[in-house]
Amino acid sequence: LTVSLGRRRALAAGAASAAVGSLVVTSGALASALALIVAGSALLGAGGAAVMLCRYAAAETVSEPMRAKAMASVLTATTVGAVAGPNLLAPASRAAADLGLPALGGAYVFGAAAFALMAVVLAAGPRGAAAGARAAEADAEAASTASAAPGLTVLALSNLVMVAVMTMAPVQMEHAGGHLGGIGLMVSVHIAGMFAPSPVSARLVGRLGARRAAALAGLVMAASCTLAAADAHSTAALTAAMALLGAGWNLGLVSGSALLTASLPREVRLRREGLGEVVMGVAAALGGLACGPLVAVGGYPALAACGAVAAALVPGLVGRLDQRV
């Protein structure tokens, strides 16, 4: 879509799909139809993809040395929504009840309005330059799998480890006797760690280079998982580990995105950006599927230990793949 329509219209299409999906979920809740809720959730995911792809839109407006900083600025802005969103659940639920809708449907109604506004803002802007008919030819000539491998590896492993270890953290805290307030605080701290350190991540990428920053991201995530495995029954230790895990993921996202798209023609970058998001999504799905059985067999410490091993692979893999390019 970006190649044929330009970046703004492509992102607007993703936001519009999410707005429709939010309404479909609400309709499914009213009708007690799980199929509608699932279908609407799939459409809603398109909005998440559009939000994440906005970092590349920002990067395209600046020179190559400033791309990491531009991407980080979008992730920093995402922090505002990530923190404010959960706090809108209660008023949105009350508003939905006043309208005769299921209380939890209020969040989706609000989401539909927010994504619709996003689509309008994006569509109203000037149309970005499309890549043109030469895109496929340029992609075939310049975008080899080998050159994409370092960035894809960082993005995939960062998302795999973060999703797998974090998904079961609230369950572990509850089993360890934690209360809902503590669990909510841990999740909030983790989300803040995922986005708030973006300026620091951009600075590290600028100073160290994307490859060394990616290696550091792997080490930070490995350290966080090790802490979670060593003291999984401590609320304080688990909260600290999840904050560190979020920060490591953020550095992995910024450095991996920079590795994936550095010094490439626009036509090639567009396809790389989409490929990177697909790889991140697949990795997240695998992490979500694997974490439950791992905890069932070996407990949360076993899951966290596996996460530490996977994260520790990042420095070596990135260095080895980078040498082959």
Side-chain angles (χ1 to χ4, degrees):
L1 285 174
T2 303
V3 169
S4 59
L5 301 178
R7 196 180 291 276
R8 279 181 176 268
R9 292 186 179 181
L11 293 176
S17 297
V20 172
S22 297
L23 296 178
V24 171
V25 171
T26 305
S27 300
L30 283 170
S32 297
L34 179 60
L36 283 177
I37 294 174
V38 172
S41 296
L43 288 171
L44 186 58
V51 169
M52 293 301 290
L53 285 170
C54 282
R55 71 186 188 274
Y56 293 117
E60 196 169 65
T61 65
V62 298
S63 62
E64 183 75 30
M66 299 295 293
R67 286 177 60 84
K69 185 176 181 180
M71 286 190 284
S73 68
V74 173
L75 296 175
T76 302
T78 305
T79 309
V80 179
V83 173
N87 293 298
L88 295 172
L89 182 59
S93 297
R94 290 193 294 269
D98 292 340
L99 295 173
L101 299 173
L104 292 180
Y108 290 93
V109 174
F110 179 85
F115 276 118
L117 178 60
M118 176 182 173
V120 169
V121 169
L122 287 166
R127 177 176 174 173
R134 294 177 56 254
E137 180 181 352
D139 186 58
E141 292 177 355
S144 68
T145 302
S147 64
L152 293 176
T153 298
V154 175
L155 293 175
L157 286 177
S158 296
N159 228 30
L160 175 70
V161 172
M162 187 275 290
V163 170
V165 176
M166 180 57 204
T167 295
M168 299 304 292
V171 179
Q172 169 61 24
M173 185 173 285
E174 193 274 337
H175 284 174
H179 53 83
L180 288 178
I183 293 173
L185 176 62
M186 177 188 68
V187 173
S188 296
V189 168
H190 172 70
I191 292 175
M194 287 176 62
F195 297 107
S198 298
V200 177
S201 295
R203 184 176 292 273
L204 287 172
V205 171
R207 285 181 175 271
L208 303 177
R211 184 176 64 82
R212 290 182 178 177
L216 178 59
L219 296 177
V220 171
M221 287 188 291
S224 70
C225 292
T226 301
L227 175 59
D231 203 358
H233 295 284
S234 167
T235 298
L238 201 55
T239 300
M242 292 306 103
L244 193 60
L245 179 63
W249 176 87
N250 181 272
L251 182 57
L253 180 66
V254 175
S255 60
S257 299
L259 277 171
L260 187 65
T261 60
S263 303
L264 291 172
R266 182 175 188 271
E267 295 87 349
V268 181
R269 283 205 314 270
L270 295 176
R271 286 178 167 75
R272 287 281 184 90
E273 292 163 7
L275 179 61
E277 298 308 297
V278 171
V279 167
M280 287 182 66
V282 171
L286 292 175
L289 288 171
C291 64
L294 278 172
V295 170
V297 172
Y300 187 79
L303 170 64
C306 289
V309 171
L313 294 175
V314 172
L317 287 175
V318 171
R320 188 175 304 171
L321 293 170
D322 202 41
Q323 291 175 358
R324 293 181 182 178
V325 176

